[in-house]
Amino acid sequence: MKKIIISSVLFLGLVSAGLVGCQKGNLLSNPNAASTSSTVPVSLIFNRLVNEIYYGGGVMDAVGINSNSSSGPAQNEGPWSEVHRWNQFYISLYSYYFGSNTYNWSNTATMYSVLKYVNLMEQQVPAQFGTTANPYSALAYFFKAYQFIWYTQRVGDIPMAQAGVSTITTPTYNLQHDVYKNCLALLDTANTLMAALVASPTGGPTATVTGDIYGLTYLQWQKVINTYKLRVLISLSRRAQDNPDLNIPTQFANIINNPTQYPIMAGITDNLAFKYNSVYNKYPISPNYSPYDFYESMCDTYLNITTANQDPRTFIAATPAPAQITGGKSVSDFTAYVGADINLGQSALLVNATNGMYSYANYLRYFADATGATEEPAIIIGYPEMCFNIAEAANLGWISGSLASTWYTNGIMGSMAMYGLTDGKVIPIGDNKGHSLGSVTASVSTFLANSNVVYAGNNATGLNQILTQKYVAFWQNSGWEAYYNWRRTGVPTMGQGGAGIGTANNAIPVRWEYPEDEQVANTTNWQSAVSSQFGGTDAITSTMWLTK
Amino acid sequence: MPTAALLLLLLGLMFAGSPAFAQTRTVIGRVTSGGVGISGVSVQIKGTNKAVLTDADGNYKLAVDADDAVLVFSSIGYAPQEFPANHPNLNVSMVESDRILSEVVVTALGIKREAKRIGYSIQEVKGAELVKARDPNVFNQLEGKVAGLDIGTSPEMYGRPNIVLRGNKDVLIVVDGVPISSDTWNVNADDIESVNVLKGPNAAALYGFRGQNGAIIVTTKMGSRSSKGWEVDFNSSNMVQNGFTVIPKDQYQFGRGSSYAYQYTAGLLAGETLYDYGQRLAIWGPRTDGQLVTQYNSPYNATTGTWTPTPYLTKGTNNLAHFLQPGLLSTDNVSLSTSGSNYDIRISYSHTYQKGQAPSTKINMDNLNLAADYAISPKLKVDANLNLNEQYTPNIPDADYGPNSYVYMFNVYGPGDYDVRDLKDYYKGPQGIPGLNQYNENYGRSNNPYFMAHEWLRGKTKTDIYGFARLTYNFSKDLSLAFRSQITTWNQLLTEKVPAGTILNQYLSWYYPGWYGDYREDRRTLTENNTDLLLTYKKTLGGFFLNTNVGASERSFEYTSTYATTKDLAIPGVYSLTNSQNPALVYNFDSRMQVYSGYYAVDLSYKNYVYLSTTGRVDNLSTLPSNSNTFFYPSVSLATSVGDYIHLPASVDLLKFRVSFADVKGGLTRAQQGSAYYALTGNTLNGGLLGYGFEQYTAYDGPTYQNQSAYSLTTYYNNETSVSYSTTKSDPSLKPFDVKSYEAGLEYQMFKGRAGLNLTYYESLNGPLIYALPVPSSTTYSTQLVNAVTSLKKGWEAILNLTPVRSRNFAWNILLNLSTYRETLHKIGNGQSSIEIGSGSNGTHVFKDGDRLDAFYSTAFVRDGSGNIVYSNGGPLGAPSGISNYKLLGYLDPKYSFGINNRLTYKNWSLSFQFDGRVGGKIYDDVWYHAMNGGTAIESDQGALGVARNTEWESTAQGTKAPTPAYTGKGVVITGGTPTYSGGQITNLKSVAFAANTTPTTVQSYLSSSLGSNFDEYYMISRTFAKLREVRLTYNFTQKMLGKKSVFKEASIALIGRNLLYFAQRKDFDIDQYASGFDIQSQSLYGSGGGQTGTSSDVTLSSSTSRWYGVNFNLGF
């Protein structure tokens, strides 16, 4: 009996001891992740940051999950994204696969995630560097400015001073004017700090920033900062005269006139551009997207410009419209390239496309390869745009007017260089499944000699030419810039007024509504921002300070 | 049987010392139920204390002295009956009284208590109810049997049913007092003595925060006394699965294509002559008029690479039926049991085999249960139970949206322009290359179903063990101490072999046509140990009775998981993680947790007047911050049975009132966990990593680490290491969540158990929860974890039992279960007056205090003042997007659920059938949406759409040019004025001019682009459904028929059926699976619906439940 008792007790004791038993150590923290107090190499945080600006606000954190829908707040800004439909480069024929073409916008996403990673990076820097003399500290200023401007140009006033302050859960709003003013100062600081690093580069002049995916040297980053500043300054053109405190033309001229203090991009190799590769970061459309190539067409806003100017970039972007080829036109005939009118409804667009009326995207360039071998990298901030920004400033008289024509041509040639376009370059032409239709020989000089293209001087026509060529150079790159430039200048004439636009008045919206989370969780501050700017209506048709 | 043993003990105590009577005559007989002898039935002479119990075979023998003596037959679970003892042989057939009359129920901690002493809601289902009309998963069988318990039946093999108790999805399962971490498949119906459902925290406070939503308490069988030493039971169910309960109706006039055009060769990419990779086509192709079309099986000249067109005809109106084969479910159990004066032993082994309806799918399950108790001495007892469950399958089908699903392939994107039987040889030439590429009718959308069935294999192996060992020492009659150690552990391996040449379309970023396939493994192991000590003290003093339990326990939890996938196999057909062209992706997630608890349960009663129970529990939980990780929560309940002290009319058997309150606290654990990838990133495999397939969730009950702002490692560019930081801001001062429940009930029984009503009303205040409350994005976070958001749930449950007929040979029993609840937002707190709840950009809404939380707001048609749909460009006009323009499309929760059980017994025959369902509420019909979008749904070729579709086809010159649009939507267009909107509707109707819509559109553009997924209103259907869930016709062989000398003690045969009839507004998908609409506490459980289920972002293409027919044999030796 005793034996049994003892063995039973022993058995139970063993059972409980032999199992998991009492757990030791820290059970509160997540063993699968690093905590805030851990040492996290700054380069890893920087890596996240540089990716953020390629994808666009809210995309990496999946704000508004349904990115395939025009109503989702977060939009990928890469090539062939919905953004480039709103830029009127191409259109969707079929909602199920490519979404609708409508500008049915509502709440915006934000890019405050970038501010979060900047703050985290700045927390880690002292422990790992002990000094701010490192590219991470310098570039932190650039990323801060980039994300505030990304957001303010979409809505108006935004929280800046109190944004991302850990103790503040309802940040107050700053005037859009002040946001720009402060961001321009941030960019100046970024330039100054980078200049010090460029002057005595620890790893030599070709050293890159660890964690950077763009592969830029310190000097190239400094150029990105100043080139970006030119974009910001020109984007304020409507406010240049009535806000003397911002010194917009002066600041612009300072950069152009002091190239040593403010180095800017010298060519497309200085582009801040996302490069695709064969395994990890494939080009967004690839052979496995080929089944969808039936359901998108070129938009006429883009193709009407390039075909009228005999622009060889026509052959880069598009395939000839099938009906034009079966109707007997040659593949080198610009009139064989026809875009679709975004004002039409998708039913009509699909019928027309089925009848072969529209050009498709260039399959051989964009669909047939996934590796980035045939496609151009995706520019985020690029040299061609910078040239047109300078040309525009010259046209407006901010800087010496004689520079306009030079920079206009530089911009065009920079864009041509992106596609390797030179006189005599043979471009294969295929249909939308890649079957060869022949080839064309590009003539850049014919294009440059076209009367539409020859710079008309520092007048309204010249300005229109600059802006038109800037738009063409934005083909599938630089995110929302094509739209923002149109919003600011009205160039080019974008399609609107038809039911395909899908807004209440079928006009293209001029802003976004504030994010839902600001409305719900920062109600008082949001309300006062909306009432002071828009008389209380947070609408996509309201005009903000920037675009007044 | 433990209940019988207990009763025996009670009766023994009651009648000890009764004086002996003079014996004049003897009455003998057998007490049966449905022909089977029942042991332990009390046979009492009315008005005396004289009684006997029936033996194991139901026989009794009783000496009766008075001539007019009346015998009262009573037993737990049966209606008591009275018969005059006017015959020396009195056989009685007992009628089950159903749950309401059960006198003893199993409560928390496995303590058996008299039903009338219990102050909260509890309902029992007998194990015998569950062993005949089998479902592979026993929990599916509970649907309709318990008021307030809704089972979202999972039709998928090894699919976890959605167990919803009072709207809560996170329900604890306890077996023999042991909380188990179970996917519900490791409980074998043959081992179940009874299932008791404790419906709220009132009942389950003693299990701690795991029991916050109630518990399902399973009590297993124990050894039984038999004159033959060992009692052997054999139970065998064999069922045939034939056809789905619901099948969408398709059109077969039009085939694959777009804009009425189709040529297999149109999708050949440059340099390709064989595979139509360049077209992803729905069913918008030409009409099958016999015209010449190049098809996948048209003659192909390999030398010239040319195809010869063949007549285009409808060949596959029965593709699904031809592909499926009858399924089979076979469950066999053999159990051996014995008992002696100081021991009980039961050994039970079951094998379950299910052959799926899709070829090459099957599941196997072995279950071994060992239970023993042994009284070492009169004071010391040891008992133990061990359950070993092994699940294994080489292949189970996947059912979701995507090219991996048969529903997708046949029901919503399947044309009738091919005959599936032609695809049987799935490596047939010219396209097929064994091991490398499949022979299929398309190469842009879906796979050859036979190729999928035989080559794309999803295996599962799971070993699931739970058990305990316990030592009990009785110091005295009143005082005992029990020490128990319990373990629940499982390990699971899921594998997936994706063969070379699988068509995935764009779903996988590294996929390309003609790729080599993939291999993946998902391993998960959970080990949990509970060790507890329980001191029990009972005392009767005067009229007072006191029962005190004081306990302490330690719960130790450990979980490890790994998910790994290759990234394009290097050598096709070799399914190994190292065989990867690109570095394999590997994720691992581990967690540990410790809970120390102390608790008490005190039952106090005064005479028969009132029964008071109170419990209290202190937990120390390792998942919470150290300043708030120790917390206390109490419960109290009060019951009184009026008839015990007030004289009630003779017709009233019982009138009982009860009230109770319970409080539960806990935090930062979750009931279920997905793959390691999901656990690490919060993204599902289908949503984040693979783009198809479904995330498998397993029982977890471990830490979420949600309050740990942390960096997780990831990669964004070129495989460079990068980090991702929480979007949720943590709160170091977080306190446990708090759930309070109030309940009141009434139990009323009359006419000797022939009529009874059990009513319960409850309110629960769920919160303040630990809630990820949105913060403005300008804080740089999306949410902050805070103690906020309280919902108020109010509900009713009613159980009605009736016995309209009861005679010696015939009886009819009815049990009706009804339940309903509403959940509203009680208080958000944290200074906020509104919160956004919903999922993504469709179907989300800003809720305010007092709002019903199951309200579903989403995209709706814009209408003019007369209710006409407003059109634009030929399609319905979309209101401006954004949350403020979503319209209330209905409420997702059913209004009420019901279950009606009928049992008719005639002599040896018994017929049972159950009819159950849910009434009210709305649900999104995703199958319909996809079938309309795909041009497959029969409605896309009927009525005005059908006329237009045929007219359009005629206009295309046999598909050679674009159709002339012919469908003009009935409605209006805006001809003047600029509309302004609110809630998705025009607010300035007076300043907007309308005229009839005259713009035609093509049927394809109308359904796919215009209507598309832009108007959830169109696809919202009534959630009401009802099912004839199960039918059992049983014949019990009597001992006489078996013969006195037969080795069989009992035998029965039953004809059984499940899911025989389905009633709903639309019969194209099975609403049954979506058991509830919204539950605030389920928000973090799983899925993307933000707690809402049945919305356009939640409902997907699952399989339907199947009809089952079969036969059951039961033999007792």
Side-chain angles (χ1 to χ4, degrees), chain A residues 1 19 21-23 32 34 36 47-48 95-97 104 117 166 275 281 292 347 433 435 516-518, chain B residues 268 278 376 401 445 487 505 556-557 590 594 596 711 716-718 720 725 729 777-778 881 883 1001 1009:
Chain A
M1 177 70 73
L19 298 173
C22 198
Q23 309 251 15
N32 309 291
T36 315
N47 185 274
R48 163 82 192 208
S95 172
Y96 188 69
Y97 295 122
N104 200 355
Y117 287 100
S166 65
K275 297 171 191 74
N281 301 89
Y292 301 100
S347 175
K433 287 283 164 277
H435 304 288
E516 192 57 38
D517 50 68
E518 290 283 335
Chain B
L268 299 175
I376 299 163
Y401 178 82
R445 182 179 278 279
I487 186 173
N505 215 276
S556 193
F557 172 95
D590 302 341
Q594 182 94 45
Y596 297 103
Y711 296 91
Y716 300 109
Y717 187 77
N718 210 22
E720 291 168 16
Y725 193 77
K729 206 174 176 179
S777 50
S778 50
S881 63
I883 200 164
T1001 172
S1009 284

Side-chain angles (χ1 to χ4, degrees), chain A residues 123-140:
Chain A
Q123 270 172 32
Q124 296 280 346
V125 161
Q128 292 173 42
F129 292 90
T131 163
T132 53
N134 62 76
Y136 304 109
S137 297
L139 289 170

